[in-house]
Amino acid sequence: MKFDKIPITIVTGFLGAGKSTLLRSMLTQAEGRKIAVIINEFGEIGIDGELVKAAGCGCIEGEVVELSNGCLCCTVQEEFLPVMKKLVKLKGNIDHIVIETSGLALPKPLLKAVNWPDLKPYLTVDAVITVLDAEGVSNGSICDRNRVSKQRDADDSLDHESSIEELLEDQLSCADIVVVSKTDLVDRDKFNEGMAAWEKVIRPGVKRVEAVKGEIPLDVLLGCNSASEDDLEGRHDHHHHHHHDDEDGHSHDHDHDHQHDHHHEDSIVSHKLELPEVESSDQLIAQLKNLVEENDIYRIKGFLAVKGKAMRMVLQGVGPRFEAYFDQPWADENSRKSQLVIIGKDLDKSKLESALLG
């Protein structure tokens, strides 16, 4: 029997590339489409999910599902499968599924999961969209090749491990569409120079579209009919070479007490910090910029309670670049607290707290 399949769009890309911004833009353009959203967070606070719900796109509680495990290889085995089975049962009430992966996740295991017998008859991957930070490409902050080289020279154990560079290569090589974000912030010549290296890992024929604030017509992103799960061999995967998978691409006897011992997350950590009410967001951002200079920090995001302000402040940081804005009133006094998630390599939580709290 032939089934009509629910199309899935996978939105991937490194930390801070602009995935959530693109997702919010997509949802505001839904125009009656019934879109289910899955957000795979890396960190203890569901910030991306909160921002999507607060975007004014008509989402109600229950339409956005957050998976707490930032490692998609494990999520596929643990939370992902039951969530997808639940959505399959809602067939007829869902037009499309959009999955935003963690910035540290590999998209290919997710494609393999769609081929599992429980899901294959009902789901297909409409497209993998990889979001690429134009500013990071231009200034090299997306992946400092010189730093990666120095790290490998200093530590022989890194020779067999996948670097952040390899993670981004896998995200790009899996793409059916590459969305280049933040193009309004770059010098075009510097961007083209930096982009030349990344173009080599993008598959031939993959379209590249540019976006400011994630604003791309929804018809460009949905309805691609790529059936990406049927083209696994054409999508290069460093992860496959580092691990021995079984026939369906994932070992079902995988030890899930490994505490994220995957190569690309070996020393990447996420720390949740709670801060007192903020007197000055500018002063806090200056402190955070100092932390970025002194540590290997990839991403900072969170909510701030600013003294004298009834609105919640959203803080987003990628490398030395920060954005802060008020988005909505606090739900109540109990929810009014400053919380940050800081994601990076070999970070000491106590030292971060000491630097910010004094």
Side-chain angles (χ1 to χ4, degrees):
M1 181 181 294
K2 184 180 184 297
F3 294 89
D4 292 326
K5 296 186 177 184
I6 304 173
I8 300 172
T9 295
I10 299 169
V11 180
T12 188
F14 192 61
L15 296 165
K19 298 183 296 298
S20 296
T21 300
L22 179 67
L23 176 56
R24 291 198 300 274
S25 175
M26 292 171 70
L27 293 176
T28 57
Q29 301 179 64
E31 296 182 348
R33 292 182 180 91
K34 289 172 281 189
I35 300 176
V37 179
I38 297 175
I39 297 173
N40 192 40
E41 287 268 36
F42 187 91
E44 297 177 59
I45 311 172
I47 292 168
D48 292 341
E50 279 293 316
L51 292 176
V52 167
K53 292 173 187 175
C57 58
C59 293
I60 59 174
E61 194 69 34
E63 288 185 337
V64 177
V65 178
E66 289 182 72
L67 302 179
S68 61
N69 191 341
C71 177
L72 201 59
C73 301
C74 301
T75 301
V76 165
Q77 281 291 91
E78 294 168 358
E79 297 177 82
F80 176 77
L81 186 57
V83 168
M84 298 310 290
K85 284 183 175 180
K86 180 180 178 181
L87 292 180
V88 163
K89 289 180 181 178
L90 296 175
K91 187 177 181 293
N93 295 317
I94 295 175
D95 297 321
H96 209 100
I97 299 170
V98 178
I99 302 174
E100 179 195 343
T101 73
S102 156
L104 297 172
L106 295 157
K108 196 167 178 179
L110 189 49
L111 297 185
K112 294 176 181 177
V114 174
N115 281 327
W116 289 358
D118 288 340
L119 302 180
K120 178 76 170 175
Y122 312 104
L123 304 172
T124 184
V125 179
D126 185 58
V128 176
I129 299 174
T130 299
V131 185
L132 187 62
D133 177 356
E135 192 173 13
V137 168
S138 298
N139 62 25
S141 64
I142 240 181
C143 181
D144 189 328
R145 291 167 181 263
N146 290 329
R147 186 172 68 185
V148 170
S149 178
K150 288 178 181 178
Q151 287 175 343
R152 284 178 170 159
D153 290 342
D155 187 349
D156 291 338
S157 69
L158 294 179
D159 289 344
H160 67 276
E161 294 180 357
S162 174
S163 65
I164 295 301
E165 183 176 47
E166 288 181 353
L167 171 62
L168 183 54
E169 285 178 359
D170 283 359
Q171 291 173 343
L172 285 170
S173 68
C174 208
D176 297 297
I177 302 172
V178 175
V179 171
V180 184
S181 65
K182 311 175 190 178
T183 52
D184 56 320
L185 303 177
V186 301
D187 175 274
R188 182 58 59 171
D189 289 338
K190 288 183 178 179
F191 168 72
N192 290 338
E193 181 181 349
M195 191 65 194
W198 298 111
E199 291 280 12
K200 297 174 184 177
V201 299
I202 299 174
R203 293 177 300 119
V206 169
K207 61 183 175 181
R208 193 176 91 193
V209 293
E210 298 186 357
V212 176
K213 300 294 184 184
E215 295 179 2
I216 298 175
L218 194 57
D219 289 340
V220 173
L221 303 175
L222 302 188
C224 300
N225 301 313
S226 299
S228 312
E229 73 278 9
D230 294 333
D231 180 32
L232 296 177
E233 292 303 316
R235 299 162 196 259
H236 179 71
D237 184 6
H238 288 287
H239 186 265
H240 176 76
H241 297 296
H242 290 302
H243 291 269
H244 299 288
D245 295 338
D246 64 10
E247 290 181 2
D248 69 1
H250 192 90
S251 170
H252 289 258
D253 294 323
H254 194 56
D255 177 8
H256 292 289
D257 293 323
H258 62 353
Q259 303 204 2
H260 293 89
D261 71 349
H262 294 293
H263 60 284
H264 61 279
E265 293 189 31
D266 276 344
S267 54
I268 295 176
V269 295
S270 169
H271 291 308
K272 170 187 170 183
L273 305 183
E274 293 200 4
L275 307 176
E277 200 170 48
V278 176
E279 294 276 352
S280 166
S281 57
D282 290 340
Q283 182 179 342
L284 178 61
I285 289 172
Q287 290 175 298
L288 292 172
K289 285 183 177 179
N290 288 335
L291 281 179
V292 170
E293 288 181 9
E294 296 167 0
N295 298 273
D296 219 349
I297 293 175
Y298 303 130
R299 187 81 165 94
I300 297 175
K301 55 184 178 179
F303 302 116
L304 302 179
V306 181
K307 190 172 184 178
K309 302 291 184 181
M311 302 283 281
R312 179 179 72 177
M313 175 173 276
V314 178
L315 179 69
Q316 303 267 18
V318 182
R321 294 170 283 139
F322 283 85
E323 177 186 22
Y325 58 90
F326 292 103
D327 75 325
Q328 65 178 24
W330 293 98
D332 52 52
E333 276 302 311
N334 291 331
S335 66
R336 184 184 171 88
K337 52 187 174 182
S338 299
Q339 294 182 311
L340 291 179
V341 169
I342 300 181
I343 303 170
K345 185 175 180 181
D346 298 324
L347 300 179
D348 185 314
K349 183 176 181 179
S350 63
K351 290 182 178 178
L352 297 176
E353 289 177 328
S354 177
L356 294 177
L357 300 175

